[in-house]
Amino acid sequence: MNLPVIALKGLNIFPGMVIHFDLNRKPSIVAVRVAMKSGGRLFAVTQRIMTEETPGLDGLYEIGTVIQVRQITKLPNNTIRVLAEGVGRAKLNDMTTAKAQGVYALGDIDLIEEDDGHISDDRNYEEAAFRTMVEMLSGYLEYHPKISQTLNSQIDSSMSLGEIVNRIAMNIPIAYDKKQQLLEAISTADRYEMLSTILCQETDIAKIHYKLNQDIQSRVNQNQREYIMREQMAILRKELSKGEEYTDSELFNKKVDELEASDEIKERIRKEIRRFDNISESSQEGYVLRSYIETLLELPWDHTAADNTDIEHASEILEEDHYGLDKVKERVLEFLAVRAQTSKGRSPIMCLVGPPGTGKTSIAKSIARALDKEYIRVSLGGVRDEAEIRGHRRTYVGAMPGRIATGLRHAGVKNPLMLLDEIDKVSNDYKGDTFSALLEVLDPDQNKQFRDHYIELPIDLSEVLFVATANDTSTIPRPLLDRMELIQISGYTQNEKFHIAKEHLMAKQYEANGMTKKNLVITDGAIKDIIRYYTREAGVRELERKIGEVCRKCAKQELSRRQEEEKKAKTSAKSRSKKAALKTPDKISVNSKNLEEYLGKRKYSSIMANKKDEVGIVRGLAWTAVGGDTLQIEVCMMPGKGEVKLTGQMGDVMKESATIALSYVRSVGEKYHIKPELFSENDFHIHIPEGAVPKDGPSAGITMATAILSTVIGKKVFCKVAMTGEITLRGKVLAIGGLKEKLLAAKTAGIRKVLVPQENEKDVEELDKEITDGMDIIFVSNMDEVVYQAIDTDN
C-alpha cells in the first residue's frame, strides 16, 4: 500500500487518537494536499532525530500510524494546522520521492493487524490486571494533578484493558522515544507490561521530586523561623541592656531624627527602613537596601557650612596662591560681596577657558580656600555614560549614585565648591548624552530639584558653587555654554611666568627635592633663560618641570659633594675641623652661563625679525594653543599659465584667504599699473615655512595680500612690520582673535610696529601696559592703509 508520508518532530500518534498538529515543512504540506485529493489518508511517523530537517528512510522509525485528515487550517508563515484521527498501526517498508504540486515523500507501508485488546482468556485475571493498571494510574496522578482531570474524563470502567492502555499511553507526558516503544508494541500484553513499568518509574521519580521540594520548602521556612527568632532575641537584648544597644533599624531611625532634611525626605527614608525590617539582612536585597539607606543618610540634604564674608581675607588668599588671573579673582570677590550684602545671592556657574597649564584647576582650589568652602573635584575627561552624572537605577546590580551626588556625599555640606574639570573632554555614545545630563546640573532654575536615578529624591544643587574648566569651547554644545559664565584665561607673558616661578614654583620644587635657599641659588637671569629657551607654552607646567630638573641635578651634585667630604673626613687626621666645615657648605649657583650644564643645549630660539627689507616676504602673527607665534609668508612669481600653488600645510580657511588675497590684488591692478596679462602669463607660489605644522584661520589674509602685491609691483616690505587681520574682496580689514598672544609673539621677535584691525581697538585697550609698552600699534581698516604702512613704495 502506498501513502504520502509526513515526518513528525517529538510527536507520536496512536490509533484512535484525535489530535491537532502544525506542519511548516514544504514536503509535509504537499503530502497533506495530495492525501486530501485521494481520501485524506496518509502515513505519520516520528523521526529519530528532532533537529534533522529532511530525514530519509533511516531517519524515521519503522512503525507509525495511518491517519485520517479531518480538517486543514492555514496559518501565517506558510504553516498549516491539521486535525487528524489515528486509524491503525502500520510498518514503513520503503520510501521514495514523488512530485505532484511539489515534492513529497511516498511510502510503501503495510497495515498491522490489531489484537482483540485482551491479555488473557481468564476473566478474573483480566479484571485483576485492569484494577492494577487503575491503581498505578491513581498513584501516578497523585503527583500530576494537572493531567488528572483530562485522563479521568476519558477512562470508563466499561473499557477493555487494551482501550485503557491506549488512553493512558496517549495522554501521559513522557518522552517521545518511550511513547514510540509503546506504539511499536503490537500486542496488548506487551503494551500493558511496558506501560506498567513506565508508570512505576515515573511515579517513583515524582515521589523523589516531591520530597526534594518539601526539603527546600522546609529550609525556607527554617530561614523565616530563624529571622523571627533573631528579631525576638534583639528585643530581649534591648530589654536586658536597657537600651544601650540598638538594632540596625533603630540606629537608622535615630540618624533620621538627627538628619537636617525636610519631612518628605525623612518620611521616605523611614519607609525604606520599614522595608529593611521585613527582609532578611543576609539576602541580596537586604545588602542593596542597606547601602541605599546609608547613602540617603550621608547626603547633606539641608546641612550648610558658613561661608567666609571677609573680602580682604579672601583677596589675600587669592593673591597669595596665584599671580595674575585678575578676572577670575574679581568675579569671586564680586560674588562674596553680593552674598555679604544680601545674605543670599545665586551661586555663579563659571567656566574657565584657556590653554593647558594656566592655573584653571588650581585657582578653583584657591577659591574654595578663600571662601571657606569644601572642595570637590569631579573629573569629566573621557566620561561618556549619562549614568556617571545622573547615577544608575537601583534595578541594576552594582548600581551607585552619579558623580554629582557622590561629590555632595563626600563634601558633607550642600554648599561646597564643585570643580567640573575638563568639561570639554566629555563624549557621548549609545548609553546617553552626557552633555544633556549636565544641562540640568548647571541650570540655576532647574538644579533645585536635581534627581539622581539612584537616589530617586530631589537634591538641591542651587547653593553649590560650580567651577568648570575647558581648553576649547568648540566641543561644548551651545545650550550648555549658555548656562555658564565664560572667563577667558589667556597664556602668560614672559614677565608673568617669571613672577610665577619666583613666587610659587621655585619654593614648591625646592621643597619637593630637598633643597633650600642656603644651598641652592637660581638667579633671575637663569629663570628668564629657562622661560625663553627651554619652554614654549602658554602655561607654566613645562617651566615647573625644568625648574624641578635643575633642583634634582643640584641635589645629586650636593649629595655627591657631601659624601666625598665625609669620606675625606674619615681618613683625615683633622676630621673634626672637616666635619665642622660640612655644616656650612658652599652654595650651588645656577645662572645664565652654566644653565646648559643642567638642562643641556637650548631647545628653542625666538624667530627674530628679518634684518633687511625684501620683496614678497611679510611677517604675520598667529595664535596657537600654547601661545602666539610669528610666521613668515613668502610669495614667488614665475613664468607660467596663471596657476596658484599653496604650500606649508594650510587649512581650508587659510587657502580661501589666499584666493581672496590674490583676487583683491587683481582687482586693484590698474591702480598700481599692473598689466592684466601678468596674472595669466605667470604662476604664483605662496609658502608658509615650518611645513610640518598645520596652519589655518583667516587672520593671515592681509599678510598674504601684502606679500602678493609686493611681488607683483616689485616693491620691498618693511622687515620691522608685522600684521594680522582678515581681508575681504573689497579690501576691508576685519577683526581677529588671540590678539594678546599675537602681540606677545611680535614683541619677543623684536618687532615693534604691528598692524591691527581697527575693530580690535577695544581689545588693545584692555591689555596690560606690560604688553603694549614699547610697541607701535597701528589700527587699519582697509588694504590701502596696510600698503601705506608696510610697503616701501618710494623705492
Side-chain angles (χ1 to χ4, degrees), residues 5 58 65 123 133 367 494 606 616 775:
V5 178
D58 294 336
T65 307
R123 295 186 61 184
M133 178 59 65
I367 293 171
Q494 290 191 4
S606 299
M775 298 194 72

Side-chain angles (χ1 to χ4, degrees), residues 681-718:
E681 296 175 355
N682 293 277
D683 291 344
F684 291 87
H685 187 163
I686 303 174
H687 176 65
I688 303 177
E690 298 184 19
V693 180
K695 309 167 189 72
D696 205 358
S699 62
I702 64 172
T703 313
M704 289 190 279
T706 304
I708 295 171
L709 182 61
S710 167
T711 303
V712 170
I713 65 178
K715 299 293 184 180
K716 295 180 179 179
V717 179
F718 297 125

Side-chain angles (χ1 to χ4, degrees), residues 90-111:
K91 180 181 179 182
L92 178 64
N93 299 317
D94 194 11
M95 187 172 67
T96 58
T97 301
K99 290 186 178 180
Q101 303 178 1
V103 178
Y104 68 99
L106 184 65
D108 177 19
I109 65 169
D110 291 330
L111 288 172

